[in-house]
Amino acid sequence: MAKLWGGRFQKNTDKKVDDFNSSIRFDKRMYAQDIKGSMAHAEMLGKQNVIAKEDSDKIIAGLKELLAEIEAGKVSFDIDAEDIHMNIEKLLTEKISDAGKRLHTGRSRNDQVALDIRMYLMDEEEEIRKMLVHLCEVLIELAEQNTETIMPGYTHLQKAQPITFAHHLMAYFEMFMRDISRLDDCRKRTDVMPLGSGALAATTYPLDREFVAEKLGFSAVTQNSLDGVSDRDFVIELAGVLSIIMMHLSRFCEELILWSSHEFSFVEMDDAFSTGSSIMPQKKNPDVAELIRGKTGRVYGHLMGLLTTMKGLPLAYNKDMQEDKEPIFDAIDTVKLCVPVFCDMIATMKINKETMEKGAKGGFTNATDLADYLVKKGMPFREAHSVVGKMVFYCVENSRNLEDLSLDMMKEFSEIIEDDIYDAISMQTCVNERNIIGGPAKETVLAAIEEAKKRINL
Ligand code: ARG
């Protein structure tokens, strides 16, 4: 097939090169953005009298028809036409002949692809944002049901201090809220219109770039034509944002996998979100959580791949940049696959409240509170730390919990201990006394949840 750029060539491209060079396999997913961008460009060319108004109208009508045909599944793309941009132009020209040939006036595929990918990513950012908002809503709902579900908090994966499951869930709420804000921030830098940059040095035609930007809903136009076609920061940034989203999902999944083990038994994934073993009849595996954790690696890989692709590229456009699409598309697909399944998995899992609370009780999670009790009675903290350390040692040796010691026994360690100690070191007190902003106390978490509901509606 004759190439759109074939004039200068005496020979056809090698068949292998046609396949090698072609990106239509994966960039066809930008067909709607390509067509929308071309419509705005054509309208502007007509308005500026760069092409006849009549041709501009024909182009727009032709593109509209083509969009409907693609959407109806009536169009098959041609690998010889290389990419989505030339496929659309070719199909348009087949439809409206000469007018179609005027569409590419004052434009290069270099600024065209920059436009398409920005538009495509902005659409996807919107979708992912919605999914994250839903995830935050699920977390809030679960948290609301668990403000009294006491569980052990860990550092170094060693029991540390008691918290509630609601508090733990709301920690993830904060993480995903930051992801939303990172997504919004990244979108600001994606939301810049590059058309008019031409191949690299803009154009001699009197293009109205601002008109095109407004038509397409962009907030600004790029300010340097070289940068306009060379910039893929926004792709890398999105891959970074997606990597962080996956990292957050993966950390939570790691916890759920751990908590699903017989040793923890804090949660049990619903049957609908677990799988069995082909050999061991007793098994119920948290595959979904594992797979999300596993898929995190491929998203990180894409981020690294994109950074590496861009690191050695001289200005301006280089064909290497065609390699930006598959990684960012796959990173987007992966996040869009993981977030909804994660939401449903956590919404349906069984929470073993009693086991959680039992877990909080063992392991001296109230030792800090015992020390604080002594401090409130006048003992310096460092001294109290040492006294309680000795009590813990005694309990370890005698397989007891701190709250199981009799008052007489306690007094052996410190005379100032009275019988109000049992209430002071109960799990409920330990949690509910921590009522400063950010703490796990029931009233504090309830207030945080109310605040969260307002924040999510932003
Ligand atoms: N398919 C190309 C890409 O994705 C479009 C731009 C091609 N430009 C060029 N001068 N070969 O990057």
Side-chain angles (χ1 to χ4, degrees):
M1 189 206 72
K3 295 279 190 286
L4 285 179
W5 40 253
R8 184 236 178 276
F9 289 79
Q10 301 296 311
K11 244 179 160 181
N12 284 336
T13 342
D14 188 286
K15 184 77 197 105
K16 280 199 199 72
V17 173
D18 274 340
D19 290 342
F20 182 70
N21 227 12
S22 170
S23 53
I24 188 66
R25 249 184 321 110
F26 48 86
D27 64 15
K28 64 179 175 207
R29 63 160 90 188
M30 303 192 301
Y31 72 87
Q33 288 78 13
D34 194 76
I35 290 176
K36 253 179 90 183
S38 287
M39 283 173 151
H41 180 65
E43 187 179 345
M44 180 275 295
L45 291 177
K47 178 182 86 74
Q48 297 295 94
N49 293 318
V50 176
I51 63 173
K53 175 82 172 57
E54 202 193 327
D55 285 337
S56 156
D57 290 347
K58 266 194 206 154
I59 293 172
I60 294 166
L63 286 169
K64 216 176 188 170
E65 238 179 78
L66 190 53
L67 180 62
E69 285 165 14
I70 296 172
E71 239 124 53
K74 287 190 200 147
V75 175
S76 56
F77 295 115
D78 179 4
I79 204 156
D80 286 348
E82 214 173 303
D83 53 27
I84 188 62
H85 324 295
M86 291 203 293
N87 264 276
I88 300 281
E89 192 181 327
K90 186 181 125 250
L91 290 162
L92 178 73
T93 306
E94 281 166 13
K95 226 183 230 309
I96 61 168
S97 75
D98 277 1
K101 295 184 190 162
R102 298 189 191 278
L103 168 62
H104 210 50
T105 315
R107 189 175 71 170
S108 157
R109 269 186 301 151
N110 298 352
D111 57 356
Q112 189 178 357
V113 71
L115 174 76
D116 291 3
I117 188 84
R118 282 176 186 269
M119 288 169 69
Y120 183 83
L121 295 189
M122 287 198 314
D123 289 346
E124 293 289 4
E125 282 159 7
E126 194 89 30
E127 292 265 305
I128 294 170
R129 190 186 200 283
K130 278 190 207 139
M131 289 180 170
L132 291 178
V133 168
H134 177 64
L135 170 54
C136 285
E137 285 165 356
V138 171
L139 289 170
I140 289 176
E141 216 178 296
L142 267 179
E144 257 177 331
Q145 297 158 11
N146 286 284
T147 53
E148 291 179 17
T149 309
I150 289 174
M151 66 176 277
Y154 296 84
T155 64
H156 316 268
L157 206 53
Q158 304 286 321
K159 285 179 190 178
Q161 289 170 342
I163 54 170
T164 63
F165 187 44
H167 194 53
H168 198 98
L169 289 162
M170 291 307 284
Y172 281 98
F173 170 85
E174 295 297 333
M175 293 178 228
F176 291 116
M177 283 299 282
R178 285 198 296 277
D179 290 336
I180 291 173
S181 120
R182 257 186 288 273
L183 206 53
D184 290 347
D185 205 46
C186 167
R187 194 194 154 88
K188 282 184 216 152
R189 280 176 292 277
T190 314
D191 184 13
V192 192
M193 208 290 295
L195 225 54
S197 301
L200 76 161
T203 180
T204 53
Y205 296 104
L207 304 188
D208 185 347
R209 301 189 61 208
E210 259 128 9
F211 175 85
V212 175
E214 212 189 303
K215 271 268 137 196
L216 296 173
F218 279 93
S219 306
V221 298
T222 54
Q223 294 300 310
N224 179 292
S225 65
L226 285 174
D227 185 50
V229 290
S230 305
D231 174 22
R232 291 294 182 275
D233 295 3
F234 57 95
V235 180
I236 296 172
E237 242 184 292
L238 179 59
V241 174
L242 298 177
S243 293
I244 298 178
I245 294 170
M246 290 304 295
M247 182 264 289
H248 289 150
L249 288 176
S250 187
R251 288 185 78 172
F252 205 163
C253 283
E254 166 64 18
E255 293 186 321
L256 295 176
I257 294 161
L258 205 59
W259 295 349
S260 301
S261 67
H262 177 73
E263 287 73 10
F264 271 86
S265 299
F266 284 1
V267 292
E268 186 181 336
M269 297 305 126
D270 192 76
D271 278 3
F273 289 85
S274 311
T275 53
S277 155
S278 60
I279 175 170
M280 297 168 281
Q282 84 284 12
K283 291 278 272 187
K284 182 173 171 185
N285 297 326
D287 284 34
V288 173
E290 291 170 67
L291 208 45
I292 294 172
R293 188 178 60 183
K295 285 178 187 290
T296 304
R298 73 194 268 168
V299 177
Y300 288 9
H302 293 321
L303 170 62
M304 209 34 73
L306 285 164
L307 283 165
T308 311
T309 298
M310 293 305 292
K311 82 183 251 293
L313 298 190
L315 301 186
Y317 178 84
N318 300 267
K319 186 78 170 191
D320 312 45
M321 288 156 76
Q322 182 165 289
E323 288 290 308
D324 63 351
K325 287 169 204 67
E326 284 165 293
I328 196 65
F329 291 166
D330 187 70
I332 289 168
D333 292 348
T334 304
V335 167
K336 285 172 72 181
L337 201 62
C338 290
V339 176
V341 75
F342 180 83
C343 285
D344 293 352
M345 177 179 69
I346 61 170
T348 54
M349 70 186 176
K350 185 168 162 251
I351 298 150
N352 296 329
K353 299 188 180 186
E354 275 164 32
T355 317
M356 278 189 176
E357 182 156 356
K358 225 159 105 198
K361 275 183 181 149
F364 313 106
T365 55
N366 50 3
T368 313
D369 298 78
L370 211 166
D372 289 342
Y373 171 90
L374 296 173
V375 168
K376 278 173 205 152
K377 301 248 165 178
M379 192 182 284
F381 180 76
R382 206 32 78 203
E383 203 176 308
H385 189 287
S386 165
V387 167
V388 178
K390 288 191 179 88
M391 293 172 79
V392 168
F393 182 74
Y394 174 85
C395 287
V396 171
E397 292 284 282
N398 294 281
S399 305
R400 312 276 289 275
N401 285 323
L402 289 166
E403 61 275 19
D404 298 338
L405 299 178
S406 68
L407 187 56
D408 287 345
M409 199 65 228
M410 292 213 197
K411 279 187 179 292
E412 303 246 329
F413 293 92
S414 170
E415 264 305 316
I416 60 175
I417 300 179
E418 302 294 339
D419 67 357
D420 56 352
I421 185 63
Y422 297 103
D423 184 47
I425 63 170
S426 80
M427 290 296 119
Q428 278 71 17
T429 311
C430 292
V431 167
N432 290 323
E433 287 294 299
R434 290 179 159 73
N435 58 3
I436 62 165
I437 297 171
K442 183 181 173 186
E443 54 174 304
T444 313
V445 173
L446 280 173
I449 289 172
E450 281 321 301
E451 208 42 51
K453 286 181 186 167
K454 286 185 215 148
R455 285 161 68 193
I456 202 72
N457 284 327
L458 282 184

